[in-house]
Amino acid sequence: MAAGGGAPWAERARVVGVQIRNRFRVAPVDRRWLWRRADGSVATEAVRRWSDRARTLLQRDRGADQSSTSTGTSTETAAKSSSSALRFYRKKVGKEVDGIEDSVIFRSLQALAVPLIGNACYVFMHGLNSVQIYGAEKLHQALQERPKGKPLLTVSNHVAAMDDPFVIASLLPPSVMLEAQKLRWTLCATDRCFTNPVLSTFFRSVKVLPVSRGDGIYQKGMDMALSKLNSGGWVHIFPEGSRSRDGGKTIAPAKRGVGRLVMDADSLPVVIPFVHTGMQDIMPVGKRIPRTGKRVIVVVGDPIKFDDLIIENSNDTQHISRGILYDKATQRIGQQLQELKVEVDRLAAEQQSELKNHHVHNVSDDGFRLWQQVDWEGFGIGSYMFSSEPSVIQVQAKEAEPESQLEAEQSVSPAPSAAISYDVAVPHWFQRHVDPSELMGFAARGLMKNRKFLEEGYRELVEPASARWSTA
């Protein structure tokens, strides 16, 4: 009965279990949208694709790092050079960059200040100092005879703070400096010439453009200078960038900015170099007042040609070659300045030697004239001092001397005091007419007399003083 009763219960339990399993059974899953990883987890197809892409990019970056490490320093150098070369490009600049300098007010100030200061500097250099210029006609021809619209660029060494306008004014005739529009534009650092509104107004009135140290060759100040060249003006620049560190003994290498002014101008400018020496004596470092009575030498060189650089690089499609153009132009200008420096140093050395010889000659002439003005007749030796006949002692001495010794004496130049008569000298006259004992006695008597005069003077000075004391 148990077995019979148990069978229906067990069957019923199995049926209930089947019904429960059928009710809670999960439907079949579409395996096309699932991706099972190695660890048994499941992800969607989109997640799998993004993970695969991220893994690929990670492997690519890791491979690039390994390749750059294997190439070493050469790859880094090439990367740096290519990145730096891309910084150079031809920057077009119009004729009107900053309208302040071209306003009516500043033009009126320039028409008044530039001729006044220029002529004052001309008088100072040529009147209170000595200036010797070699090749000034080269600058005059480039300034006055160049075609209309042709820019002019002058370059020079920088020795003293007043190189411009002193040297520039000494190179030009006063009539040219009366026309302010024809004169030069120059550049000055903002931390020196444009520190306050008063200085800024003054320097802008004398045609000075501001540049900022360290801002590179594409800064606004360089663009303003380039715009003056594009309008056919005259710009003067110091390629060294600052004053000489050794007082003008050497010229520092030229900076790349001057190369940009040459190569980026709309029309290739006429470039005139000149080198000067002597300004370090007129305006020494640390002095604010210029000195007078100094000598300045200026040598103007021939115009520098850049036509070959323009022809070789006529196809300006690659920006990388622009920096090379700047460097070539800068190097050519610096080399020309170095050659002129050698020439001006040679001229200065020659003139220094001539001045020394002239000074010695003048001293000899002054001594000879003083010798003639002495009243030798009062000493009783005038006839002997200016006699052209040799003395008896000299004749005997010449007869006794060998011929070789006479030739040696003739090769020695006579002293200035013997310029009147080479055969008569004061010692010979004293040997002939003066007894040594009498000469010693004359000297002793003079000493005794001087002592007596001193004692009498002292006595006369003391006695009145003692009398005054006794009276008091």
Side-chain angles (χ1 to χ4, degrees), residues 271-470:
V271 181
I272 302 293
F274 63 88
V275 174
H276 56 85
T277 183
M279 284 299 300
Q280 63 273 15
D281 299 327
I282 294 180
M283 283 291 294
V285 178
K287 301 296 182 181
R288 295 185 177 182
I289 300 177
R291 299 179 178 180
T292 59
K294 305 301 180 180
R295 181 182 298 271
V296 177
I297 302 175
V298 186
V299 178
V300 182
D302 297 327
I304 305 177
K305 303 297 183 181
F306 299 95
D307 297 334
D308 55 335
L309 298 181
I310 298 298
I311 295 175
E312 292 177 1
N313 299 272
S314 58
N315 186 12
D316 190 20
T317 57
Q318 295 181 356
H319 295 168
I320 298 178
S321 63
R322 204 66 196 171
I324 300 176
L325 282 179
Y326 296 159
D327 292 338
K328 287 183 178 180
T330 303
Q331 182 180 5
R332 188 168 300 183
I333 292 174
Q335 182 179 0
Q336 186 68 21
L337 291 177
Q338 295 290 347
E339 294 177 359
L340 293 178
K341 176 61 177 175
V342 175
E343 180 68 15
V344 77
D345 288 343
R346 182 186 65 82
L347 293 173
E350 292 179 356
Q351 293 187 7
Q352 188 69 19
S353 178
E354 292 178 0
L355 287 176
K356 290 182 179 179
N357 296 334
H358 182 68
H359 177 69
V360 173
H361 187 267
N362 288 343
V363 171
S364 301
D365 292 344
D366 294 341
F368 175 68
R369 287 192 295 268
L370 181 61
W371 181 266
Q372 286 182 327
Q373 293 175 3
V374 175
D375 187 12
W376 298 108
E377 294 291 344
F379 294 95
I381 60 175
S383 60
Y384 293 95
M385 293 303 300
F386 296 95
S387 176
S388 60
E389 297 179 359
S391 62
V392 178
I393 299 176
Q394 289 178 340
V395 172
Q396 294 176 356
K398 288 184 179 180
E399 291 176 355
E401 290 177 351
E403 183 178 359
S404 59
Q405 189 173 356
L406 289 175
E407 293 178 356
E409 289 184 356
Q410 292 176 1
S411 62
V412 179
S413 59
S417 60
I420 302 174
S421 175
Y422 297 104
D423 299 328
V424 178
V426 176
H428 293 162
W429 183 89
F430 276 103
Q431 291 177 4
R432 182 178 179 183
H433 297 278
V434 179
D435 187 16
S437 60
E438 293 181 359
L439 182 61
M440 293 297 295
F442 174 79
R445 288 193 299 272
L447 290 175
M448 294 298 294
K449 289 182 179 180
N450 290 336
R451 182 179 180 183
K452 182 178 180 181
F453 291 154
L454 289 174
E455 290 177 355
E456 291 178 357
Y458 178 77
R459 192 178 300 110
E460 292 176 359
L461 180 64
V462 172
E463 288 178 357
S466 60
R468 289 193 300 270
W469 283 104
S470 62

Side-chain angles (χ1 to χ4, degrees), residues 67-106:
S67 63
S68 63
T69 305
S70 62
T71 52
T73 310
S74 59
T75 305
E76 296 178 359
T77 305
K80 290 181 180 179
S81 62
S82 60
S83 61
S84 62
L86 292 175
R87 293 185 294 113
F88 300 107
Y89 58 95
R90 184 184 178 113
K91 185 178 181 181
K92 290 287 187 178
V93 177
K95 296 182 180 181
E96 301 292 338
V97 174
D98 192 349
I100 297 179
E101 285 77 12
D102 296 328
S103 63
V104 177
I105 297 177
F106 276 97

Side-chain angles (χ1 to χ4, degrees), residues 159-180:
V159 177
M162 298 295 289
D163 288 346
D164 187 357
F166 280 164
V167 178
I168 297 293
S170 65
L171 293 174
L172 302 176
S175 59
V176 176
M177 287 184 288
L178 295 177
E179 302 180 12

Side-chain angles (χ1 to χ4, degrees), residues 121-169:
C121 294
Y122 180 89
V123 172
F124 176 81
M125 293 296 292
H126 288 275
L128 302 180
N129 295 279
S130 176
V131 183
Q132 295 184 353
I133 305 173
Y134 300 87
E137 67 281 355
K138 301 174 184 177
L139 178 60
H140 298 170
Q141 182 178 4
L143 179 61
Q144 299 179 356
E145 299 181 6
R146 71 183 191 277
K148 184 178 180 180
K150 186 72 171 179
L152 173 63
L153 178 66
T154 55
V155 293
S156 71
N157 60 327
H158 198 7
V159 177
M162 298 295 289
D163 288 346
D164 187 357
F166 280 164
V167 178
I168 297 293

Side-chain angles (χ1 to χ4, degrees), residues 176-214:
V176 176
M177 287 184 288
L178 295 177
E179 302 180 12
Q181 297 300 324
K182 291 185 178 181
L183 296 184
R184 60 92 188 101
W185 291 88
T186 189
L187 294 88
C188 185
T190 54
D191 57 353
R192 292 183 58 88
C193 301
F194 297 87
T195 56
N196 55 65
V198 177
L199 287 178
S200 299
T201 303
F202 171 76
F203 282 106
R204 289 179 185 272
S205 301
V206 293
K207 305 183 72 171
V208 178
L209 302 174
V211 291
S212 300
R213 301 180 188 270

